[in-house]
Amino acid sequence: MMILRSFILLCWASHASADSVVPTRTIRANAIISENDVTLRAGSQTGGFAQLASVLGQEARVVLYPGKPIGIDDIGPPAIVARNQLVRVVFSANGLQIATEGRALERGAIGDRVRIMNLSSRATLFGRIQPDGSIQVSQ
């Protein structure tokens, strides 16, 4: 009996507590998180954020509820390409570069892999969003 109590005390004492970033209000998906939207709360969450600077300026990927810690997969960089947006599609190979117009079939941020439709051929392609908002298609 004494061994069990010691074990429970050791487990309790070894659990470290840290701050977690939580919303102060409901944040809708696709909204950019500002300083007024979040605060620090005592307690820790595996896979969560411990610093406000880590979430400020990020975009909510899901609805975030007040008091519930923000998880790593709940936010990401702001999208620069919207679904159904007309985009410049660039294909480069062996020194040859072809550019055409396409329609984004998904929304995404810089570096995201998205589906696009070539407006000339109606073919569906995959490409990566570039900083200028164009989509780079590779072989």
Side-chain angles (χ1 to χ4, degrees):
M1 185 75 168
M2 186 62 148
I3 295 172
L4 183 58
R5 283 188 193 156
S6 298
F7 178 73
I8 292 172
L9 281 174
L10 284 175
C11 289
W12 181 262
S14 67
H15 179 71
S17 181
D19 291 339
S20 293
V21 178
V22 297
T24 57
R25 63 176 188 82
T26 300
I27 301 172
R28 301 281 176 221
N30 304 331
I32 304 298
I33 299 171
S34 71
E35 197 171 328
N36 298 332
D37 296 330
V38 290
T39 189
L40 287 175
R41 184 181 74 186
S44 64
Q45 175 198 10
T46 304
F49 292 94
Q51 298 177 344
L52 289 175
S54 300
V55 301
L56 296 178
Q58 297 291 313
E59 180 179 85
R61 303 221 179 211
V62 296
V63 177
L64 304 173
Y65 295 101
K68 183 180 176 212
I70 298 173
I72 299 289
D73 294 332
D74 294 344
I75 63 172
I80 63 167
V81 172
R83 185 173 184 269
N84 289 325
Q85 178 180 337
L86 295 178
V87 293
R88 182 171 180 253
V89 180
V90 180
F91 176 79
S92 300
N94 301 324
L96 176 68
Q97 185 175 42
I98 300 170
T100 188
E101 191 173 48
R103 181 174 304 279
L105 300 177
E106 301 171 310
R107 69 188 311 271
I110 296 171
D112 285 350
R113 185 172 183 255
V114 293
R115 287 182 314 127
I116 50 173
M117 181 177 62
N118 180 328
L119 293 180
S120 302
S121 67
R122 300 282 188 211
T124 300
L125 309 166
F126 287 91
R128 294 230 178 260
I129 300 175
Q130 302 302 303
D132 65 357
S134 66
I135 312 279
Q136 179 73 40
V137 176
S138 58
Q139 293 179 330

